[in-house]
Amino acid sequence: MFIFSFLLSSQLGKHFFFPFSYLSGIRIDYLAPTVYLTDILSLVFVIYLLLRCVIPANGGHKSPNGEIQTIIFQFKKGNLRLDPLLRGDDKKINWSYFYFVLIILLIINYLLALSKPLWFYNAFKIVQWISLFYFFIQRAKNKSILSAVLFGLVSGGAVQLILSLLQLADRHSIGGIWYYLGERSFSIFSPGIAKAYFLGHEFLRPYGTFSHPNSLAGFYVLIYAFFLTQKRITNSGYKTLALTLFSFLILVSFSRTAIGVYVVINLLYFLRTAFTCRLCILAKFATSLLLIFFALNISGDLNSLQKRNDFAQKSLAIIATKPFSGVGLGSYLIAQHAYPQKYSTFFEQPVHNIFLLTGAQFGIPLSILLVTLIIRIIRVKIKQVSFFIPLLVVILTGSMDHYWLTLQQNVLLSAVIFGMIHSYEAKTS
């Protein structure tokens, strides 16, 4: 558990480039199936989940830890409601028909996908996410396992901070042993490299072992939110050290979105103490103002907003073209490539909005059903601060970037974090 959580921030892997991985003769990483080191490690968890929860071990009766097993037996009986998994009952909706329509729309999405190999690859990644999510729901109830995961995240954060500071000081990648953690080769003079300007000085935005500083920032904002709100972390010194570490990583990323979200979640969390410790809340507001000043004085790519707006317009055009079926899971960049590129030096990237990206790939009807299903699953948990604030992090950062759906480190982290949150049956706050 420690090794897996420690390596969650690594992007070490092997890309496989097929004919569908090229656009106008240029290799596109997003279109290349990739086997990451964390994929191999997560496979162990998936096998464990299959052996423990799915494969019948008692003649078809419910086992103590067999939620998925129970679902399979209900499926065989013709009951598709998945109540043991989703919990709760809504008499206003016939969930059997709901899941039937969901499956039919998924089949249509596959049949009309622009790239069927990419559809299968991305479908596998969804299955991987779900498997990890339920694995951590089961195993994170164990205090020793939870402690190992948390220590792995903190240790990985310490390594990322060291590497980020070295990159910030040297203005280029460090190489050597860092390559085996997934660091890519770059310098401040590399085409398209992320730079920041603060008070007249130019900086290389540290990448760590991530593909972009924004991905690094989003990764650690989510971990920060988890540590901030988790009541199971009872060692105040350890918690303070971890929160300080993650705060530094967010700041050195120079990500204005991440810093803004960091301020928002801190204010939301600490506003609850406003009536018991007014001095504390004043200190939080003062710190927030300093961070806002810092974020407002960071400048980077002058065309950043125009590029994001261009991506958004293209995604809306794609949705308007295929509103019912979508372009197919994993095929978004293929569809986007049909539209003219305004910025020749800007490589193809997905739209920087997870909601538009989902709508373009799945189509409007399937996207609505998926959102309905997610709301049904989280409707009880969302009342808890420990769930609401991490979810808010994903929603806010996901409104400005795509990494929660497209980049390995962020995708797997979200499965781990929300799995651990769901493993804790806390009282609503």
Side-chain angles (χ1 to χ4, degrees), residues 287-342:
T287 304
S288 299
L289 289 174
L290 287 174
L291 290 174
I292 292 171
F293 170 81
F294 176 67
L296 291 176
N297 280 276
I298 297 172
S299 60
D301 185 356
L302 297 178
N303 295 318
S304 177
L305 290 178
Q306 292 89 332
K307 291 173 182 176
R308 290 170 185 266
N309 182 59
D310 182 52
F311 282 137
Q313 289 179 359
K314 289 177 181 177
S315 69
L316 291 172
I318 292 170
I319 293 172
T321 302
K322 291 192 173 184
F324 178 76
S325 65
V327 298
L329 180 61
S331 296
Y332 177 81
L333 282 180
I334 298 174
Q336 181 180 265
H337 190 64
Y339 294 84
Q341 177 61 272
K342 294 182 179 179

Tab-separated table of all heavy atoms in Angstrom, residues 287-342:
chain	number	residue	atom	x	y	z
A	287	THR	N	-4.288	35.596	5.545
A	287	THR	CA	-3.505	34.675	4.721
A	287	THR	C	-4.116	34.527	3.342
A	287	THR	O	-3.402	34.493	2.326
A	287	THR	CB	-3.428	33.292	5.406
A	287	THR	OG1	-2.878	33.437	6.721
A	287	THR	CG2	-2.559	32.341	4.600
A	288	SER	N	-5.442	34.443	3.282
A	288	SER	CA	-6.134	34.308	2.001
A	288	SER	C	-5.889	35.519	1.110
A	288	SER	O	-5.683	35.388	-0.098
A	288	SER	CB	-7.641	34.121	2.235
A	288	SER	OG	-7.882	32.944	2.972
A	289	LEU	N	-5.901	36.714	1.707
A	289	LEU	CA	-5.644	37.927	0.931
A	289	LEU	C	-4.235	37.928	0.350
A	289	LEU	O	-4.020	38.333	-0.802
A	289	LEU	CB	-5.863	39.159	1.809
A	289	LEU	CG	-7.315	39.479	2.178
A	289	LEU	CD1	-7.376	40.635	3.170
A	289	LEU	CD2	-8.129	39.809	0.927
A	290	LEU	N	-3.265	37.454	1.146
A	290	LEU	CA	-1.891	37.361	0.646
A	290	LEU	C	-1.787	36.388	-0.520
A	290	LEU	O	-1.104	36.646	-1.521
A	290	LEU	CB	-0.958	36.930	1.778
A	290	LEU	CG	-0.649	37.973	2.852
A	290	LEU	CD1	0.180	37.347	3.978
A	290	LEU	CD2	0.095	39.164	2.243
A	291	LEU	N	-2.487	35.260	-0.412
A	291	LEU	CA	-2.457	34.270	-1.481
A	291	LEU	C	-3.157	34.784	-2.736
A	291	LEU	O	-2.718	34.516	-3.860
A	291	LEU	CB	-3.107	32.966	-1.011
A	291	LEU	CG	-2.323	32.183	0.044
A	291	LEU	CD1	-3.130	30.992	0.541
A	291	LEU	CD2	-0.986	31.715	-0.522
A	292	ILE	N	-4.248	35.519	-2.537
A	292	ILE	CA	-4.941	36.113	-3.688
A	292	ILE	C	-4.035	37.124	-4.376
A	292	ILE	O	-3.968	37.184	-5.616
A	292	ILE	CB	-6.262	36.770	-3.228
A	292	ILE	CG1	-7.254	35.684	-2.783
A	292	ILE	CG2	-6.862	37.616	-4.354
A	292	ILE	CD1	-8.494	36.235	-2.110
A	293	PHE	N	-3.323	37.934	-3.584
A	293	PHE	CA	-2.365	38.883	-4.157
A	293	PHE	C	-1.290	38.145	-4.956
A	293	PHE	O	-0.929	38.543	-6.062
A	293	PHE	CB	-1.719	39.699	-3.039
A	293	PHE	CG	-0.551	40.545	-3.485
A	293	PHE	CD1	-0.762	41.770	-4.105
A	293	PHE	CD2	0.766	40.108	-3.300
A	293	PHE	CE1	0.309	42.545	-4.536
A	293	PHE	CE2	1.840	40.876	-3.721
A	293	PHE	CZ	1.615	42.093	-4.338
A	294	PHE	N	-0.803	37.045	-4.385
A	294	PHE	CA	0.219	36.242	-5.060
A	294	PHE	C	-0.312	35.708	-6.390
A	294	PHE	O	0.345	35.809	-7.430
A	294	PHE	CB	0.631	35.084	-4.149
A	294	PHE	CG	1.605	34.119	-4.770
A	294	PHE	CD1	2.901	34.511	-5.073
A	294	PHE	CD2	1.228	32.814	-5.038
A	294	PHE	CE1	3.804	33.632	-5.640
A	294	PHE	CE2	2.117	31.915	-5.600
A	294	PHE	CZ	3.413	32.324	-5.908
A	295	ALA	N	-1.539	35.150	-6.359
A	295	ALA	CA	-2.118	34.564	-7.574
A	295	ALA	C	-2.379	35.623	-8.635
A	295	ALA	O	-2.132	35.397	-9.834
A	295	ALA	CB	-3.411	33.833	-7.225
A	296	LEU	N	-2.859	36.790	-8.222
A	296	LEU	CA	-3.173	37.849	-9.187
A	296	LEU	C	-1.928	38.438	-9.837
A	296	LEU	O	-2.005	39.016	-10.929
A	296	LEU	CB	-3.982	38.954	-8.508
A	296	LEU	CG	-5.410	38.589	-8.092
A	296	LEU	CD1	-6.060	39.752	-7.355
A	296	LEU	CD2	-6.248	38.191	-9.308
A	297	ASN	N	-0.791	38.299	-9.165
A	297	ASN	CA	0.445	38.843	-9.714
A	297	ASN	C	1.265	37.809	-10.484
A	297	ASN	O	2.378	38.096	-10.915
A	297	ASN	CB	1.295	39.435	-8.587
A	297	ASN	CG	0.814	40.818	-8.180
A	297	ASN	OD1	1.164	41.831	-8.784
A	297	ASN	ND2	-0.039	40.850	-7.158
A	298	ILE	N	0.704	36.613	-10.632
A	298	ILE	CA	1.342	35.604	-11.473
A	298	ILE	C	0.810	35.750	-12.888
A	298	ILE	O	-0.394	35.822	-13.109
A	298	ILE	CB	1.028	34.178	-10.965
A	298	ILE	CG1	1.581	33.958	-9.565
A	298	ILE	CG2	1.615	33.132	-11.912
A	298	ILE	CD1	1.139	32.648	-8.943
A	299	SER	N	1.688	35.816	-13.835
A	299	SER	CA	1.283	35.814	-15.239
A	299	SER	C	2.043	34.716	-15.963
A	299	SER	O	3.152	34.359	-15.583
A	299	SER	CB	1.558	37.177	-15.899
A	299	SER	OG	2.947	37.479	-15.838
A	300	GLY	N	1.412	34.161	-16.950
A	300	GLY	CA	2.030	33.071	-17.705
A	300	GLY	C	1.800	33.263	-19.184
A	300	GLY	O	2.109	34.317	-19.750
A	301	ASP	N	1.224	32.244	-19.800
A	301	ASP	CA	0.914	32.308	-21.225
A	301	ASP	C	-0.136	33.394	-21.466
A	301	ASP	O	-1.255	33.327	-20.946
A	301	ASP	CB	0.387	30.942	-21.683
A	301	ASP	CG	0.143	30.884	-23.189
A	301	ASP	OD1	0.315	31.914	-23.867
A	301	ASP	OD2	-0.228	29.804	-23.673
A	302	LEU	N	0.215	34.393	-22.250
A	302	LEU	CA	-0.694	35.515	-22.491
A	302	LEU	C	-1.935	35.092	-23.258
A	302	LEU	O	-2.972	35.765	-23.199
A	302	LEU	CB	0.038	36.625	-23.256
A	302	LEU	CG	1.230	37.267	-22.520
A	302	LEU	CD1	1.899	38.313	-23.405
A	302	LEU	CD2	0.774	37.891	-21.200
A	303	ASN	N	-1.834	33.969	-23.994
A	303	ASN	CA	-2.970	33.494	-24.788
A	303	ASN	C	-3.738	32.371	-24.100
A	303	ASN	O	-4.556	31.696	-24.743
A	303	ASN	CB	-2.476	32.999	-26.151
A	303	ASN	CG	-1.882	34.118	-26.993
A	303	ASN	OD1	-2.435	35.221	-27.035
A	303	ASN	ND2	-0.772	33.859	-27.653
A	304	SER	N	-3.472	32.164	-22.812
A	304	SER	CA	-4.081	31.027	-22.116
A	304	SER	C	-5.608	31.058	-22.165
A	304	SER	O	-6.246	30.055	-22.512
A	304	SER	CB	-3.612	31.006	-20.658
A	304	SER	OG	-4.233	29.971	-19.940
A	305	LEU	N	-6.202	32.193	-21.842
A	305	LEU	CA	-7.664	32.280	-21.832
A	305	LEU	C	-8.239	32.116	-23.234
A	305	LEU	O	-9.273	31.461	-23.423
A	305	LEU	CB	-8.111	33.613	-21.230
A	305	LEU	CG	-7.890	33.774	-19.721
A	305	LEU	CD1	-8.338	35.152	-19.268
A	305	LEU	CD2	-8.653	32.695	-18.946
A	306	GLN	N	-7.556	32.698	-24.235
A	306	GLN	CA	-8.030	32.558	-25.606
A	306	GLN	C	-7.976	31.108	-26.066
A	306	GLN	O	-8.883	30.625	-26.758
A	306	GLN	CB	-7.196	33.440	-26.553
A	306	GLN	CG	-7.389	34.936	-26.365
A	306	GLN	CD	-6.427	35.518	-25.325
A	306	GLN	OE1	-5.993	34.819	-24.409
A	306	GLN	NE2	-6.115	36.801	-25.480
A	307	LYS	N	-6.923	30.406	-25.667
A	307	LYS	CA	-6.799	28.994	-26.050
A	307	LYS	C	-7.884	28.155	-25.381
A	307	LYS	O	-8.499	27.290	-26.026
A	307	LYS	CB	-5.415	28.470	-25.663
A	307	LYS	CG	-4.284	29.060	-26.493
A	307	LYS	CD	-2.923	28.638	-25.947
A	307	LYS	CE	-1.790	29.267	-26.748
A	307	LYS	NZ	-0.464	28.947	-26.173
A	308	ARG	N	-8.130	28.408	-24.100
A	308	ARG	CA	-9.170	27.664	-23.396
A	308	ARG	C	-10.537	27.951	-24.000
A	308	ARG	O	-11.382	27.053	-24.131
A	308	ARG	CB	-9.163	28.029	-21.905
A	308	ARG	CG	-7.933	27.510	-21.162
A	308	ARG	CD	-7.842	28.106	-19.768
A	308	ARG	NE	-6.611	27.711	-19.112
A	308	ARG	CZ	-6.473	26.678	-18.295
A	308	ARG	NH1	-7.519	25.910	-18.036
A	308	ARG	NH2	-5.317	26.395	-17.728
A	309	ASN	N	-10.772	29.215	-24.373
A	309	ASN	CA	-12.033	29.578	-25.003
A	309	ASN	C	-12.174	28.903	-26.364
A	309	ASN	O	-13.260	28.431	-26.732
A	309	ASN	CB	-12.110	31.097	-25.154
A	309	ASN	CG	-13.418	31.547	-25.765
A	309	ASN	OD1	-14.496	31.285	-25.237
A	309	ASN	ND2	-13.344	32.244	-26.897
A	310	ASP	N	-11.067	28.811	-27.098
A	310	ASP	CA	-11.077	28.137	-28.399
A	310	ASP	C	-11.424	26.660	-28.231
A	310	ASP	O	-12.222	26.100	-28.990
A	310	ASP	CB	-9.710	28.295	-29.062
A	310	ASP	CG	-9.657	27.653	-30.438
A	310	ASP	OD1	-10.542	27.958	-31.262
A	310	ASP	OD2	-8.745	26.843	-30.690
A	311	PHE	N	-10.824	26.021	-27.224
A	311	PHE	CA	-11.134	24.614	-26.947
A	311	PHE	C	-12.610	24.445	-26.583
A	311	PHE	O	-13.265	23.494	-27.027
A	311	PHE	CB	-10.275	24.100	-25.786
A	311	PHE	CG	-8.862	23.765	-26.181
A	311	PHE	CD1	-7.807	24.135	-25.368
A	311	PHE	CD2	-8.588	23.080	-27.351
A	311	PHE	CE1	-6.505	23.820	-25.706
A	311	PHE	CE2	-7.285	22.769	-27.701
A	311	PHE	CZ	-6.240	23.135	-26.880
A	312	ALA	N	-13.132	25.365	-25.764
A	312	ALA	CA	-14.527	25.277	-25.334
A	312	ALA	C	-15.473	25.423	-26.526
A	312	ALA	O	-16.467	24.685	-26.635
A	312	ALA	CB	-14.821	26.345	-24.283
A	313	GLN	N	-15.175	26.363	-27.421
A	313	GLN	CA	-16.014	26.555	-28.602
A	313	GLN	C	-16.008	25.315	-29.494
A	313	GLN	O	-17.048	24.902	-30.032
A	313	GLN	CB	-15.534	27.777	-29.379
A	313	GLN	CG	-15.818	29.099	-28.680
A	313	GLN	CD	-15.311	30.297	-29.479
A	313	GLN	OE1	-14.723	30.150	-30.543
A	313	GLN	NE2	-15.546	31.491	-28.947
A	314	LYS	N	-14.840	24.702	-29.648
A	314	LYS	CA	-14.750	23.479	-30.449
A	314	LYS	C	-15.539	22.346	-29.813
A	314	LYS	O	-16.220	21.575	-30.501
A	314	LYS	CB	-13.286	23.073	-30.623
A	314	LYS	CG	-12.482	23.983	-31.540
A	314	LYS	CD	-11.026	23.565	-31.599
A	314	LYS	CE	-10.224	24.495	-32.491
A	314	LYS	NZ	-8.784	24.157	-32.511
A	315	SER	N	-15.464	22.230	-28.494
A	315	SER	CA	-16.202	21.160	-27.817
A	315	SER	C	-17.708	21.354	-27.974
A	315	SER	O	-18.444	20.374	-28.180
A	315	SER	CB	-15.822	21.110	-26.339
A	315	SER	OG	-16.296	22.248	-25.643
A	316	LEU	N	-18.164	22.590	-27.873
A	316	LEU	CA	-19.588	22.865	-28.063
A	316	LEU	C	-20.023	22.551	-29.490
A	316	LEU	O	-21.127	22.038	-29.718
A	316	LEU	CB	-19.886	24.322	-27.717
A	316	LEU	CG	-19.762	24.699	-26.238
A	316	LEU	CD1	-19.892	26.209	-26.044
A	316	LEU	CD2	-20.825	23.965	-25.413
A	317	ALA	N	-19.140	22.845	-30.454
A	317	ALA	CA	-19.442	22.520	-31.842
A	317	ALA	C	-19.521	21.009	-32.042
A	317	ALA	O	-20.385	20.509	-32.780
A	317	ALA	CB	-18.381	23.123	-32.763
A	318	ILE	N	-18.637	20.272	-31.384
A	318	ILE	CA	-18.649	18.806	-31.476
A	318	ILE	C	-19.930	18.245	-30.853
A	318	ILE	O	-20.564	17.348	-31.414
A	318	ILE	CB	-17.403	18.215	-30.780
A	318	ILE	CG1	-16.145	18.573	-31.569
A	318	ILE	CG2	-17.523	16.701	-30.623
A	318	ILE	CD1	-14.856	18.250	-30.849
A	319	ILE	N	-20.325	18.792	-29.705
A	319	ILE	CA	-21.567	18.343	-29.052
A	319	ILE	C	-22.770	18.641	-29.944
A	319	ILE	O	-23.682	17.814	-30.067
A	319	ILE	CB	-21.726	19.025	-27.680
A	319	ILE	CG1	-20.637	18.544	-26.718
A	319	ILE	CG2	-23.116	18.753	-27.094
A	319	ILE	CD1	-20.590	19.292	-25.396
A	320	ALA	N	-22.764	19.814	-30.580
A	320	ALA	CA	-23.874	20.174	-31.473
A	320	ALA	C	-23.929	19.255	-32.690
A	320	ALA	O	-25.010	18.961	-33.205
A	320	ALA	CB	-23.730	21.627	-31.917
A	321	THR	N	-22.763	18.773	-33.130
A	321	THR	CA	-22.712	17.884	-34.293
A	321	THR	C	-23.227	16.489	-33.959
A	321	THR	O	-23.940	15.864	-34.753
A	321	THR	CB	-21.263	17.778	-34.817
A	321	THR	OG1	-20.794	19.088	-35.144
A	321	THR	CG2	-21.200	16.904	-36.066
A	322	LYS	N	-22.856	15.980	-32.765
A	322	LYS	CA	-23.290	14.641	-32.356
A	322	LYS	C	-23.878	14.694	-30.938
A	322	LYS	O	-23.291	14.165	-29.996
A	322	LYS	CB	-22.123	13.661	-32.410
A	322	LYS	CG	-21.656	13.351	-33.821
A	322	LYS	CD	-20.715	12.159	-33.839
A	322	LYS	CE	-20.378	11.745	-35.253
A	322	LYS	NZ	-19.527	10.530	-35.295
A	323	PRO	N	-25.032	15.317	-30.810
A	323	PRO	CA	-25.587	15.495	-29.461
A	323	PRO	C	-26.095	14.203	-28.832
A	323	PRO	O	-26.113	14.079	-27.610
A	323	PRO	CB	-26.741	16.475	-29.694
A	323	PRO	CG	-27.143	16.241	-31.117
A	323	PRO	CD	-25.875	15.931	-31.845
A	324	PHE	N	-26.520	13.247	-29.643
A	324	PHE	CA	-27.116	12.027	-29.101
A	324	PHE	C	-26.063	10.969	-28.777
A	324	PHE	O	-26.026	10.429	-27.673
A	324	PHE	CB	-28.131	11.442	-30.083
A	324	PHE	CG	-28.748	10.159	-29.593
A	324	PHE	CD1	-29.719	10.174	-28.598
A	324	PHE	CD2	-28.347	8.937	-30.118
A	324	PHE	CE1	-30.276	8.989	-28.134
A	324	PHE	CE2	-28.899	7.748	-29.663
A	324	PHE	CZ	-29.870	7.772	-28.668
A	325	SER	N	-25.186	10.666	-29.716
A	325	SER	CA	-24.246	9.553	-29.537
A	325	SER	C	-22.891	9.977	-28.999
A	325	SER	O	-22.174	9.179	-28.403
A	325	SER	CB	-24.040	8.833	-30.873
A	325	SER	OG	-23.397	9.696	-31.811
A	326	GLY	N	-22.503	11.243	-29.202
A	326	GLY	CA	-21.152	11.661	-28.859
A	326	GLY	C	-20.153	11.108	-29.867
A	326	GLY	O	-20.504	10.318	-30.761
A	327	VAL	N	-18.904	11.499	-29.739
A	327	VAL	CA	-17.878	11.047	-30.694
A	327	VAL	C	-17.251	9.727	-30.259
A	327	VAL	O	-16.445	9.147	-30.986
A	327	VAL	CB	-16.771	12.105	-30.863
A	327	VAL	CG1	-17.352	13.384	-31.437
A	327	VAL	CG2	-16.053	12.381	-29.536
A	328	GLY	N	-17.607	9.256	-29.066
A	328	GLY	CA	-17.073	7.996	-28.574
A	328	GLY	C	-16.037	8.206	-27.489
A	328	GLY	O	-15.238	9.139	-27.544
A	329	LEU	N	-16.058	7.333	-26.529
A	329	LEU	CA	-15.115	7.396	-25.420
A	329	LEU	C	-13.682	7.333	-25.930
A	329	LEU	O	-13.308	6.414	-26.657
A	329	LEU	CB	-15.381	6.225	-24.457
A	329	LEU	CG	-14.507	6.105	-23.220
A	329	LEU	CD1	-14.657	7.332	-22.333
A	329	LEU	CD2	-14.859	4.842	-22.452
A	330	GLY	N	-12.871	8.345	-25.584
A	330	GLY	CA	-11.468	8.385	-25.985
A	330	GLY	C	-11.194	8.997	-27.337
A	330	GLY	O	-10.038	9.157	-27.725
A	331	SER	N	-12.257	9.385	-28.065
A	331	SER	CA	-12.075	9.880	-29.440
A	331	SER	C	-12.170	11.392	-29.560
A	331	SER	O	-12.250	11.916	-30.675
A	331	SER	CB	-13.121	9.232	-30.372
A	331	SER	OG	-12.935	7.849	-30.459
A	332	TYR	N	-12.159	12.090	-28.440
A	332	TYR	CA	-12.393	13.541	-28.505
A	332	TYR	C	-11.365	14.261	-29.362
A	332	TYR	O	-11.715	15.107	-30.206
A	332	TYR	CB	-12.398	14.149	-27.095
A	332	TYR	CG	-12.559	15.651	-27.139
A	332	TYR	CD1	-13.818	16.215	-27.299
A	332	TYR	CD2	-11.454	16.503	-27.071
A	332	TYR	CE1	-13.977	17.588	-27.379
A	332	TYR	CE2	-11.611	17.874	-27.152
A	332	TYR	CZ	-12.865	18.418	-27.312
A	332	TYR	OH	-13.010	19.773	-27.419
A	333	LEU	N	-10.075	13.969	-29.192
A	333	LEU	CA	-9.042	14.692	-29.935
A	333	LEU	C	-9.137	14.436	-31.432
A	333	LEU	O	-8.793	15.309	-32.233
A	333	LEU	CB	-7.654	14.302	-29.425
A	333	LEU	CG	-7.213	14.949	-28.114
A	333	LEU	CD1	-5.820	14.484	-27.734
A	333	LEU	CD2	-7.251	16.463	-28.207
A	334	ILE	N	-9.585	13.256	-31.812
A	334	ILE	CA	-9.772	12.959	-33.234
A	334	ILE	C	-10.845	13.872	-33.814
A	334	ILE	O	-10.692	14.421	-34.911
A	334	ILE	CB	-10.145	11.480	-33.433
A	334	ILE	CG1	-9.019	10.572	-32.925
A	334	ILE	CG2	-10.438	11.177	-34.902
A	334	ILE	CD1	-9.358	9.099	-32.957
A	335	ALA	N	-11.927	14.058	-33.067
A	335	ALA	CA	-13.001	14.945	-33.524
A	335	ALA	C	-12.543	16.396	-33.517
A	335	ALA	O	-12.830	17.154	-34.457
A	335	ALA	CB	-14.229	14.770	-32.633
A	336	GLN	N	-11.811	16.800	-32.498
A	336	GLN	CA	-11.359	18.187	-32.400
A	336	GLN	C	-10.381	18.533	-33.516
A	336	GLN	O	-10.327	19.682	-33.981
A	336	GLN	CB	-10.703	18.416	-31.035
A	336	GLN	CG	-10.214	19.843	-30.813
A	336	GLN	CD	-9.565	20.039	-29.461
A	336	GLN	OE1	-10.208	20.462	-28.518
A	336	GLN	NE2	-8.275	19.719	-29.357
A	337	HIS	N	-9.601	17.544	-33.962
A	337	HIS	CA	-8.589	17.786	-34.989
A	337	HIS	C	-9.201	18.207	-36.322
A	337	HIS	O	-8.513	18.785	-37.173
A	337	HIS	CB	-7.740	16.534	-35.182
A	337	HIS	CG	-6.534	16.752	-36.046
A	337	HIS	ND1	-5.506	17.603	-35.700
A	337	HIS	CD2	-6.192	16.242	-37.272
A	337	HIS	CE1	-4.589	17.609	-36.650
A	337	HIS	NE2	-4.982	16.793	-37.608
A	338	ALA	N	-10.486	17.935	-36.519
A	338	ALA	CA	-11.155	18.317	-37.761
A	338	ALA	C	-11.392	19.823	-37.841
A	338	ALA	O	-11.679	20.354	-38.917
A	338	ALA	CB	-12.490	17.575	-37.878
A	339	TYR	N	-11.230	20.511	-36.707
A	339	TYR	CA	-11.429	21.956	-36.668
A	339	TYR	C	-10.078	22.664	-36.802
A	339	TYR	O	-9.049	22.155	-36.356
A	339	TYR	CB	-12.114	22.364	-35.359
A	339	TYR	CG	-13.519	21.845	-35.245
A	339	TYR	CD1	-13.769	20.555	-34.778
A	339	TYR	CD2	-14.607	22.628	-35.617
A	339	TYR	CE1	-15.065	20.063	-34.679
A	339	TYR	CE2	-15.901	22.150	-35.520
A	339	TYR	CZ	-16.119	20.862	-35.049
A	339	TYR	OH	-17.407	20.375	-34.964
A	340	PRO	N	-10.065	23.842	-37.422
A	340	PRO	CA	-8.781	24.546	-37.625
A	340	PRO	C	-8.110	24.923	-36.319
A	340	PRO	O	-8.769	25.304	-35.348
A	340	PRO	CB	-9.186	25.798	-38.430
A	340	PRO	CG	-10.654	25.980	-38.168
A	340	PRO	CD	-11.203	24.604	-37.977
A	341	GLN	N	-6.782	24.799	-36.294
A	341	GLN	CA	-5.978	25.122	-35.121
A	341	GLN	C	-5.482	26.566	-35.233
A	341	GLN	O	-4.741	26.916	-36.151
A	341	GLN	CB	-4.795	24.153	-35.027
A	341	GLN	CG	-3.829	24.424	-33.897
A	341	GLN	CD	-4.468	24.338	-32.525
A	341	GLN	OE1	-5.008	25.312	-32.010
A	341	GLN	NE2	-4.414	23.151	-31.943
A	342	LYS	N	-5.903	27.401	-34.290
A	342	LYS	CA	-5.526	28.812	-34.333
A	342	LYS	C	-4.112	29.056	-33.844
A	342	LYS	O	-3.469	30.033	-34.213
A	342	LYS	CB	-6.506	29.648	-33.489
A	342	LYS	CG	-7.922	29.685	-34.035
A	342	LYS	CD	-8.810	30.566	-33.163
A	342	LYS	CE	-10.224	30.627	-33.705
A	342	LYS	NZ	-11.101	31.466	-32.848
